[in-house]
Amino acid sequence: MNDEQPTGIGATVLGYPRIGPHRELKRAVEDYWAGRIDEPALRDVAAGLRRATCTALADSGLDSVPGNTFSYYDQMLDTAVLVDAVPARFRDEGSSELDTYFAMARGRDAVAPLELTKWFDTNYHYLVPELGTDTAFRLAGDKPLAEFREARDAGVPTRPVLVGPVTFLRLAKPAADAPEGFRTLELLDPLVDVYAELLGVLADAGVAWVQLDEPAFVADSTEEELAALHRAYERLSALPARPLILVAGYFGDFADALPVLGGSSVDGIALDLVTAPAQLDAVRGLRGIRDKTIVAGVVDGRNVWRTDLADALSRCTPLLDHAGEVAVSSSCSLLHVPYDLDAEPSLDESLRGRLAFARQKVAEVARLGRALRDGEGAAAVDPPAAPRRDDGVRDRLTALGPEHRRRAPYAERAAAQRERLPLPPLTTTTIGSFPQTDAVRRARADLRAGRLDEAGYAERMRAEVERIVRLQEDIGLDVLVHGEPERNDMVQYFAELLDGFATTANGWVQSYGTRCVRPPILHGDVSRPAPMTVPWIRYAQSLTDRPVKGMLTGPVTILAWSFVRDDQPAAETADQVALALRDEIAELEAAGVAIVQVDEPALRELLPPRAADRAAYLEWAVGAFRLATGAAAAATQVHTHLCYSEFGDVIDAIDGLDADVTTIEAARSRMEVLADLAAVGFARGVGPGVYDIHSPRVPDETEIGGLLDAALRAVPADRLWVNPDCGLKTRGYAEVEPALRAMVGAARLPRPAR
Ligand code: GLN
Ligand code: ZN
């Protein structure tokens, strides 16, 4: 430990965005991939962004500035590379370190990349390290040290942030060639050795504090996992020369880890008091707390609302008599919110007064830090304006009883639908979107830039819809779609048309690697001023005798991919969205539409990390979907689309949605989903994907026929639908057209005598 450094943390944040206020990093990395700039040019951009971040954080009054928060792609990938957990298939003498790093993220020729998966229940995705008995950890890089030195040279001492060793192992997966039964936690000791070495190096360089993130422990933990946490931090905190250690647990309740860490000699614990305020009690009684810094995460790092400073302060002060130091911070890294509210000049003023993005949240933390240190109350600030209120919507929701979430029994619906829609067994369809061509994107850009007016834009989109309908007829699909050319994004499209939402101009947030999204802001009561999809579907249906599906995004997915108001339970907000969709469905029905699809690809994403919280979530999620679809006539066929292949945890909920037809990703998992569905007695229509749209490969008839044969062993032909895994918008026509022809061909082959 270094006695010359101040030992407190004071005001801090657990991490910061890194893509650049104008997505500079995205552009530079993509330029590098395309060969437009070289490595030194890319490194220059990165260094500039890091410098701007650390000086801005120091200047805005934080006492402790997080370091090592930069990444060219992902912090889990950085950690894997740092400890040399690089699978053999990526090791290539001819590649630079940086190219090997990107190959792990994106693949290289025939080499598949690491798997990408969601970072807890956020919209950020990390790369999953692959570990096996031949993984030989060693300290293979100096990124945390180099970034510390770089910031110090700019006058800012930082607190390097690292993924903690136990979370790293819990989030990694056994490599394909690992022995049967291998568990990644078996590698704890050698991994902790590397962390020990790293902490020594950082201490030598003058690092006062390091932050080790252990968010895996806000999920349910086994005895073995808790024992690993104990072992790791006993070892690291006993090192003779090391920085002070802060262990951070965020996105939920860290209570399981607290006794373990309290009993160890780590110097600080950071808690998420936004998601899990109730842990305050557990902390106060914690053994060992007198010697520790408690970092109170009271400024929401995942949402965009301004903090109620007095309330936030009142969550910190009860700790003052207990902890060695009470520091104040964001609840998690600010990676999950956009950079700066000041980059949104056209937001409505009363809404703006309710918002805080990363830069504003740093100022809030700094202010709370001063109030706490000086023993003052948080200086009064004007209370934010109240959210838009719509009594019409509220009254309608109050008046709806449980019967409004229930349709006629399935058998009755199925009979009515058979009569209305004579469809062949093994009905073929697609999930909704067709490839977004350059011409479509150009038309949208022209509309935004004022080079094209609304009427001209609509005309181009109608021409595209017509082309897509003709193509589907030519391919021989049974149930058609309009292709979604008019949608920039399946959530933003609806957010722009509903009241109660705002969209931003620059509110980009990293989703994975260079992919960024601009989540809409759901800020007030939601209502639907006008039909959102009816003219498009009606137009598409006017072109053909085959049924065209109405296409909507479901309430859970709309919430999951937006920043959502936090002044009322999510269940209530979801029901308001559902009510707007319910009205849209009624209008589609009135226009003669016989099939409506309500997509819920994010149903599983919002699943809480702890099993105990899941039932309550699924109840409101399923309830909202049923509110949206519950008024559909028996003869209207309701479809839903879900897009993940692992869904053991939500299988009952899928049944609970009560859709007439469920299309679901399955091509990669070879139809395993069907057995799971059969196990819960699922007896409605199901379309397991038979064409993996995440890969550029074009499957042939034989391959798809094989998948159909497998599916037919679990589902009778009159309930089995034939469709791709997901929408086609990210693919090109050169792949999509032959793949769909093969799909239709496979469905029409005589069977089983094939
Ligand atoms: N209907 C949407 C599409 O086809 C569904 C997308 C999704 O599942 N993510 O693009
Ligand atoms: Zn999908």
Side-chain angles (χ1 to χ4, degrees), residues 430-434 484 487 490 551-553 557 561 597 599-601 641-643 725-729:
T430 62
I431 303 306
S433 58
F434 267 69
E484 306 178 26
R487 301 189 187 175
M490 64 184 290
M551 195 58 61
L552 302 171
T553 303
T557 300
W561 295 348
Q597 178 172 313
D599 291 325
E600 285 291 22
H641 166 69
L642 308 166
C643 60
D725 262 342
C726 193
L728 306 170
K729 64 174 170 247

Side-chain angles (χ1 to χ4, degrees), residues 228-251:
L229 188 73
H230 176 80
R231 192 173 167 87
Y233 287 94
E234 282 288 299
R235 168 86 207 284
L236 293 177
S237 60
L239 291 171
R242 62 164 175 89
L244 298 168
I245 297 174
L246 169 67
V247 182
Y250 42 81
F251 301 146

Side-chain angles (χ1 to χ4, degrees), residues 184-204:
T184 57
L185 274 185
E186 291 169 28
L187 300 178
L188 183 73
D189 286 345
L191 182 62
V192 172
D193 285 344
V194 175
Y195 275 75
E197 184 184 345
L198 175 62
L199 294 197
V201 169
L202 293 175
D204 286 348

Side-chain angles (χ1 to χ4, degrees), residues 637-704:
Q637 192 168 69
V638 174
H639 289 214
T640 189
H641 166 69
L642 308 166
C643 60
Y644 32 81
S645 40
E646 264 174 52
F647 45 97
D649 296 328
V650 292
I651 199 99
D652 287 310
I654 293 175
D655 193 34
L657 297 178
D658 194 30
D660 298 302
V661 178
T662 301
T663 59
I664 191 160
E665 184 176 316
R668 278 190 195 193
S669 65
R670 302 281 311 174
M671 308 285 124
E672 280 158 25
V673 43
L674 295 177
D676 295 343
L677 280 171
V680 296
F682 188 87
R684 296 180 292 275
V686 58
V690 290
Y691 160 29
D692 175 12
I693 65 94
H694 299 103
S695 145
R697 271 189 66 247
V698 176
D700 62 19
E701 242 172 58
T702 319
E703 179 180 343
I704 295 180

